[in-house]
Amino acid sequence: MEQIVSIRIKTHDGTLLALEPREGDTLAKTIVMSRLWHGVALCSGLGKCGLCKVRFTENPPEPVLEEKKKLGEEALAQGWRLSCLHPSESCDIELPAPTRSQRAVRTTSTTTGDFSLAIDLGTTSIHWSVLIGNESVATGHELNPQMGLGSEIMSRLAVAANAEGRFILRALILDRLTELVRLASHNMQGKCVSMAVSGNSAMTYVLLGKKPDDLASAPYTLSYFGGEEKKLGADLPPAYIAPLLAPFIGADLSAGLTAIEYDADVEYPFLLADLGTNGEFILALGPDKRLCASVPMGPALEGVGLTHGRTAGPGAVTGFRLTPKELQKVLFDESHTPPTGMTGTGYISLTATLIRHGILDDSGQFGQGTTPLAAKLAKDLITTEIGEPAFALDHGLMLPASDIEEILKVKAAFNLAMSALLHEAQLKPSALKTIYIAGALGEHVSLNDLETIGFLPPNCKNRTVKAGNTALKGSELLVTDPDARRFAETLPTTITALDLASDASFGDQFMKRMRFTYVD
């Protein structure tokens, strides 16, 4: 008798089902594609979040290093594994109750009635704002439900290469947008009359169900340019899609420029750096001349993919400070919730604090400390965990060498894009009137920390502005102000894009910047 090959699953509520293995995929991806983990913000194969754990009831595979770090020996002995680290093959597994992503909502007004909805559709996170007239009455953010199908742009585009993948990716977003409109309609006691959605080019293609061949491989081009309204679904009003400026400089940057330049008195040249999973940079030399570049940065800045990374909320560590007596944590709120993880801002704060006091050097290696307290912390807290050096904190938190390397990669990518744009324009950092930091770090990060770890050139922090979520601010303008749309639609003709990845020296230039200091 022919053996039936299937992934046999028992869910937390006792449901039994079988899935067909998918050659070349991970077990986690097969489960996500079945939509069993709808709304679970996975790290997509990095082995960091632990949310894709399953229990093999028969013949568990050999554990790998990341599982030993994340799960521990007792759980491994019971058959628990991280499904993102094992292939999609015939097996018998049990799924625990899914851990849904947290949604942060803030109400800023009691005004009710018909409303507009502005959306910043990021690769890792979704941010939104409900507006009545020109007033934002509620805002919120959450992790992008597509995260289980790729933690960065290129892996997401690989899923979108076939019709099934495009359908599922699009459905995950449209289901959430439809739910947002439904909830807002209930709370506002009105209907959604207009929308604006701003996202990078890949997210825009996915939202519209477009085949992304022109973005998925070199030479990268655009076949869709935005700057128009599109009908997204039966229960959604037409949505304005801001102009796309280059293959990986999307509607989020045209919205961001609108937030900064439209109806405002700005000085040129300035740099807009929108930092998220994809780093997008625009060097504005004047109202009619702008250079742009993009670099992959990964989801670390948004609290995903690092050992104890998480988004902001109760229990999140958002910063550190070294007092004369101890290393203190700064928590998200005063709820006294025990620390459960660190945001991207928290990781940067800890890294900068350790560098200032000689517990980390500029190559990312642990040191002995340069003050008596720092020396004591280095002696007491630098340890070895699962074969790698780590700085141990309380409540089980730590900063391992592998996380430091991820932060260094983000720093190097930022540094490379900024220095490449300045070199192309034949400018020194001192020539910039303003550096606008937007995106994942654009509201809460310390500028001192960014300068300490080499994101910012020396002596530039006084000309740097934490601009917040410029993509969302611009989307608010674009959904309410026709003149703002007309301004945004003038931007594409002013843009010259630099293709950094095709430069033969890209690898060497990147490695030169793998240090916690700014490199010209």
Side-chain angles (χ1 to χ4, degrees):
M1 181 181 296
E2 183 179 353
Q3 184 178 5
I4 298 176
V5 178
S6 66
I7 299 168
R8 293 166 292 278
I9 296 175
K10 181 179 181 180
T11 66
H12 69 285
D13 60 3
T15 301
L16 300 175
L17 65 155
L19 303 178
E20 184 178 345
R22 304 168 67 98
E23 185 176 357
D25 284 351
T26 65
L27 178 57
K29 184 175 176 181
T30 298
I31 297 171
V32 171
M33 292 289 280
S34 74
R35 304 187 75 178
L36 283 174
W37 278 334
H38 187 94
V40 178
L42 305 175
C43 67
S44 303
L46 301 176
K48 298 287 189 179
C49 71
L51 298 179
C52 72
K53 70 178 182 179
V54 301
R55 192 176 79 83
F56 285 79
T57 57
E58 295 182 8
N59 304 316
E62 283 296 313
V64 299
L65 179 61
E66 289 295 343
E67 289 172 314
K68 294 176 182 178
K69 293 180 184 177
K70 195 69 185 179
L71 300 177
E73 292 298 329
E74 182 178 352
L76 293 174
Q78 294 171 355
W80 291 99
R81 298 291 187 270
L82 299 179
S83 58
C84 68
L85 300 176
H86 297 283
S88 177
E89 296 176 347
S90 180
C91 59
D92 291 88
I93 57 174
E94 294 179 350
L95 303 187
T99 303
R100 307 294 182 188
S101 61
Q102 293 183 324
R103 294 168 177 167
V105 179
R106 184 168 67 95
T107 301
T108 56
S109 172
T110 57
T111 305
T112 58
D114 291 349
F115 62 93
S116 302
L117 187 63
I119 304 286
D120 167 28
L121 178 58
T123 311
T124 301
S125 301
I126 302 172
H127 295 251
W128 52 265
S129 176
V130 175
L131 301 104
I132 294 183
N134 295 327
E135 179 191 12
S136 175
V137 298
T139 61
H141 65 87
E142 60 197 72
L143 289 174
N144 187 324
Q146 300 171 341
M147 277 292 289
L149 294 173
S151 63
E152 36 70 41
I153 283 178
M154 298 313 292
S155 59
R156 204 77 59 84
L157 289 176
V159 175
N162 62 65
E164 180 190 18
R166 289 194 296 279
F167 175 84
I168 291 175
L169 287 169
R170 187 168 190 258
L172 287 168
I173 290 297
L174 290 185
D175 285 354
R176 183 54 190 147
L177 295 186
T178 301
E179 184 181 1
L180 278 175
V181 167
R182 181 183 62 80
L183 291 172
S185 296
H186 174 76
N187 293 331
M188 295 297 108
Q189 301 173 34
K191 65 180 180 179
C192 185
V193 295
S194 60
M195 292 176 63
V197 183
S198 300
N200 64 50
S201 303
M203 290 301 95
T204 301
Y205 273 52
V206 166
L207 174 69
L208 300 178
K210 293 187 173 295
K211 195 173 182 180
D213 290 357
D214 47 335
L215 295 177
S217 59
Y220 305 108
T221 58
L222 283 178
S223 59
Y224 177 75
F225 300 95
E228 62 178 355
E229 287 192 341
K230 298 287 284 187
K231 184 68 173 174
L232 300 180
D235 298 321
L236 297 172
Y240 182 74
I241 308 297
L244 278 59
L245 303 178
F248 295 104
I249 308 292
D252 48 351
L253 265 290
S254 56
L257 284 174
T258 301
I260 290 171
E261 292 190 72
Y262 170 66
D263 201 24
D265 185 17
V266 298
E267 290 187 278
Y268 300 95
F270 70 78
L271 180 76
L272 170 61
D274 191 315
L275 306 185
T277 308
N278 194 51
E280 299 170 83
F281 299 76
I282 291 185
L283 176 58
L285 302 173
D288 300 314
K289 186 176 182 181
R290 301 171 177 90
L291 303 177
C292 70
S294 67
V295 285
M297 301 181 78
L301 294 181
E302 303 194 57
V304 177
L306 300 174
T307 302
H308 300 290
R310 56 158 297 176
T311 55
V317 180
T318 59
F320 291 83
R321 51 176 172 255
L322 190 61
T323 72
K325 293 184 178 181
E326 61 182 352
L327 180 66
Q328 292 183 342
K329 300 181 191 70
V330 178
L331 295 176
F332 174 77
D333 61 7
E334 301 301 323
S335 65
H336 305 294
T337 302
T340 57
M342 295 184 281
T343 64
T345 300
Y347 269 98
I348 285 179
S349 176
L350 178 57
T351 301
T353 300
L354 298 184
I355 289 172
R356 289 190 195 105
H357 297 279
I359 302 174
L360 270 181
D361 64 21
D362 71 354
S363 69
Q365 302 297 309
F366 286 112
Q368 297 179 345
T370 53
T371 66
L373 176 57
K376 184 178 187 305
L377 290 175
K379 181 176 181 295
D380 293 346
L381 300 182
I382 295 175
T383 182
T384 300
E385 292 287 340
I386 317 294
E388 66 173 328
F391 185 81
L393 302 162
D394 55 11
H395 295 91
L397 303 179
M398 69 181 67
L399 178 67
S402 54
D403 284 356
I404 296 169
E405 183 179 9
E406 290 303 313
I407 296 167
L408 259 178
K409 289 177 183 177
V410 174
K411 177 269 162 186
F414 180 102
N415 190 167
L416 176 56
M418 182 174 177
S419 57
L421 286 169
L422 289 172
H423 177 77
E424 180 70 16
Q426 299 182 352
L427 295 177
K428 294 291 186 183
S430 58
L432 292 172
K433 300 297 184 182
T434 311
I435 300 170
Y436 295 96
I437 303 293
L441 293 182
E443 188 168 357
H444 303 294
V445 72
S446 161
L447 298 180
N448 283 331
D449 290 344
L450 289 184
E451 188 168 284
T452 295
I453 66 176
F455 275 76
L456 295 176
N459 305 313
C460 279
K461 65 183 178 184
N462 291 333
R463 288 178 284 118
T464 301
V465 173
K466 294 189 291 185
N469 191 331
T470 56
L472 185 61
K473 292 175 184 177
S475 298
E476 291 176 344
L477 289 169
L478 294 170
V479 79
T480 58
D481 187 342
D483 287 338
R485 293 188 184 187
R486 283 188 278 273
F487 171 81
E489 287 160 15
T490 67
L491 293 172
T493 59
T494 74
I495 295 288
T496 300
L498 303 188
D499 184 0
L500 301 182
S502 66
D503 188 331
S505 67
F506 179 86
D508 289 340
Q509 295 297 328
F510 183 87
M511 291 307 299
K512 286 179 183 177
R513 290 163 174 80
M514 282 286 286
R515 305 186 71 82
F516 286 123
T517 186
Y518 185 84
V519 178
D520 281 327

